[in-house]
Amino acid sequence: PDLWQWLKEVRCDEISRQFVMLLLLSAKRTGEVRFARHEWFSGSPSVVWETPAEHMKMGQPHRVPVSRQVATIVDNMKVLSGGDGLLFSKPNTKSGSVSENAALVLLKRFDASITGHGARASFKGWARSQSRFQKDAIEFALAHGLPPLEAAYMRLDLLEERRPMMQDWADFVTGDEGVPSLRAKVT
């Protein structure tokens, strides 16, 4: 929550701010967030973020239930990037996306010991400490593979079981304050 409060107030590039916010709230890997596309977010009112297999480390598609706070970030990025193509579009860069270092530099301004992967570790530690989320649900949230024998029998990704977990995580990180909407600033 201290990092979140600082992140809301620090002077920085708005795309980098939104990138780090989404990185913190989603528990996804930096590259998965960096190259997310607007069309990967679908459904209403229960929005789902579906990353295709070719963009995932484990080579399997990954679905994430979207919290209210993440939905606001996606909406903010529609305002900033026009709503199609890459969520964190930076057309003048080689990759066409925000730099991976943008997150790292911003996080290190808060605390030199922080890493992008630290958000995932923090999420896992928090989720385990809650004692109410199944281990498989936590591992699916992190897009970790199951041991081969378990994977052979697990046909579900526990999406709906993960929805309250991801909302509770977002509420914890943001201190229930949510994400400031950029729509109000633009209109």
Side-chain angles (χ1 to χ4, degrees), residues 135-136 139 144-154:
K135 183 179 178 202
D136 287 348
E139 294 304 314
H144 288 163
L146 295 175
L149 184 58
E150 287 182 45
Y153 290 96
M154 181 59 88

Side-chain angles (χ1 to χ4, degrees), residues 67-88:
S67 67
R68 291 183 308 276
Q69 294 89 333
V70 168
T72 301
I73 293 168
V74 172
D75 188 59
N76 285 347
M77 291 315 301
K78 286 178 185 172
V79 171
L80 292 174
S81 68
D84 86 79
L86 290 172
L87 207 62
F88 298 102

